[in-house]
Amino acid sequence: MGVKVAIFGSTGMTGLATLPQAIAAGYEVTVLVRDPARLPAECKGVKVIVGDVLNKEDVQKAVKGQDGVIVILGTRNELSPTTMMSEGTQNIVEAMKAHHVRKVVACMSTFLLWDEAKIPPRLLDLTKDHQRMYEVLKKSELDYVAVFPPHIADEHPLTGNYAVAVNERGGRVISKHDLGHFFLKCLTTSEYDGKFVCLSGNYTHP
């Protein structure tokens, strides 16, 4: 039997870059999605639960029996005030405790390390919910890794070669594929547990 992992946010940009890597690495993957049509056809063998991260029962179903959880919740291009990410994370934490799952890797933003006055105003509401999400994790008493990526690049490849800054700010860009690579790496080590981590890659344009 392979290691079992639940991915929340699997149909977003970074989620779609993480999911195939998890499958290729031999994980038994469960996803909670509102719209299964957004999952790529080639992602075979994935256990799909149709539901919403804001529904506690749906989250419980997805978390039960897992060895670890990856949280990549996002609002796509919707930047208005939200509590979806923090409320969803709270539901995930509660489900993990109920089902004795210890390890969670969660994606937020490097803007949590910025002076609020320097954060682009259009991203402020999103950042505030990321902050609430981070507080949920810090109070959870779980083995959490808080990943604070900089700009997530859609166009750069998977390299597996990137800088990891622990409990301090990092560089300016990370590819979505390398970000997914790191989420999976965190499932195999306790090195980053209870810490925030910033990633950055050095990509040359073709």
Side-chain angles (χ1 to χ4, degrees), residues 13 110 149-156 171-176 199:
M13 180 181 83
T110 195
H151 171 67
I152 302 171
D154 196 18
E155 70 277 12
H156 294 317
R172 299 177 67 90
V173 64
I174 187 75
S175 88
K176 62 183 182 180
L199 306 179

Side-chain angles (χ1 to χ4, degrees), residues 3-5 27 67-70 103-105 145 182-190:
V3 176
K4 297 179 178 178
V5 61
Y27 287 95
D67 297 303
V69 174
I70 298 174
K103 186 61 170 265
V104 56
V105 185
V145 182
F182 182 73
F183 295 152
L184 296 172
K185 179 181 178 181
C186 287
L187 296 177
T188 66
T189 177
S190 60

Side-chain angles (χ1 to χ4, degrees), residues 3 26 32 42 53 76-77 87 106 125-126 145 170 176 186 190:
V3 176
L32 177 68
E42 63 269 21
V53 75
R76 305 198 194 282
N77 297 318
E87 286 183 36
D125 288 321
L126 210 59
V145 182
K176 62 183 182 180
C186 287
S190 60

Side-chain angles (χ1 to χ4, degrees), residues 73-89:
L73 296 174
T75 60
R76 305 198 194 282
N77 297 318
E78 177 55 61
L79 300 177
S80 55
T82 183
T83 56
M84 181 276 289
M85 297 179 294
S86 56
E87 286 183 36
T89 300

